[in-house]
Amino acid sequence: MADHKIHAEIVTPYEVFFDDMVDMVIVSSKEGEIGIQPGYTPMMAALTPGEIRLKTGDKVMVASGTNGYAEVGRDMVIVVVNAAEWAEEIDLPRAEKALARADKRFHDPETDPQERNHARHGIERAKARIKIAKKYQDKSYSGSSF
Ligand code: ATP
């Protein structure tokens, strides 16, 4: 607790997306946003597609995360998600196409229930990426900091 920071790791099946000390991690859970700071009560939270924000001083890094979970310890948080992208790396046209594709599949009467469920998750991922891209990509920023 010497410097009042928390060790934050964001991992996907493909990479360690982020691994550093920060002041605060904000994740999107099914119950809303959770802000995790040093000393937070250990817990597990199910995550929904949405913002992951990493705050250090007056610097905030914003990423988009998919479904997953966060494991919180006293001075650490591990976020495990299927995919993560920094806000400025989101390809907005790609997300818009993914949304249209998933929406079409979701509403197609020929789509079976399992496939409809996949389509629903695809809609949620694409909507989160679109929202984050629109919210942050038109702001002036340097690298992944806002
Ligand atoms: P798509 O059909 O466009 O691939 P998806 O929701 O099926 O969308 P995911 O399975 O969540 O995509 O992600 C696959 C990989 O592509 C991950 O590495 C993810 O970070 C990346 N990715 C997906 N969509 C985008 C996007 N719009 N911009 C940047 N990277 C993306």
Side-chain angles (χ1 to χ4, degrees):
M1 285 285 289
D3 57 359
H4 301 281
K5 287 204 187 304
I6 184 166
H7 181 197
E9 259 189 79
I10 302 174
V11 297
T12 76
Y14 312 102
E15 62 175 345
V16 176
F17 179 79
F18 182 85
D19 182 358
D20 211 344
M21 303 301 289
V22 298
D23 292 339
M24 188 173 185
V25 180
I26 296 144
V27 291
S28 302
S29 84
K30 293 186 193 296
E31 282 78 39
E33 289 199 330
I34 308 174
I36 303 149
Q37 290 174 290
Y40 198 94
T41 308
M43 59 126 193
M44 296 271 288
L47 304 183
T48 49
E51 289 185 23
I52 301 172
R53 299 199 297 283
L54 302 149
K55 292 191 178 185
T56 306
D58 55 7
K59 189 175 126 179
V60 186
M61 299 168 83
V62 182
S64 171
T66 60
N67 276 313
Y69 67 90
E71 182 183 351
V72 182
R74 286 247 157 244
D75 54 1
M76 53 73 85
V77 54
I78 301 177
V79 173
V80 181
V81 285
N82 288 317
E85 308 89 39
W86 294 116
E88 72 272 21
E89 288 170 0
I90 295 170
D91 180 337
L92 181 57
R94 174 176 166 179
E96 283 169 339
K97 277 185 206 139
L99 175 59
R101 228 175 19 245
D103 198 56
K104 193 170 169 217
R105 240 180 13 221
F106 184 82
H107 288 102
D108 185 345
E110 303 280 296
T111 301
D112 66 47
Q114 195 185 350
E115 188 52 29
R116 180 164 289 120
N117 201 34
H118 280 137
R120 187 172 57 78
H121 286 297
I123 290 169
E124 287 172 8
R125 287 195 301 277
K127 280 188 172 171
R129 288 178 176 126
I130 290 166
K131 192 172 169 191
I132 293 166
K134 287 188 171 168
K135 186 168 166 190
Y136 295 100
Q137 285 184 349
D138 60 347
K139 294 209 174 144
S140 59
Y141 58 83
S142 131
S144 33
S145 306
F146 295 90

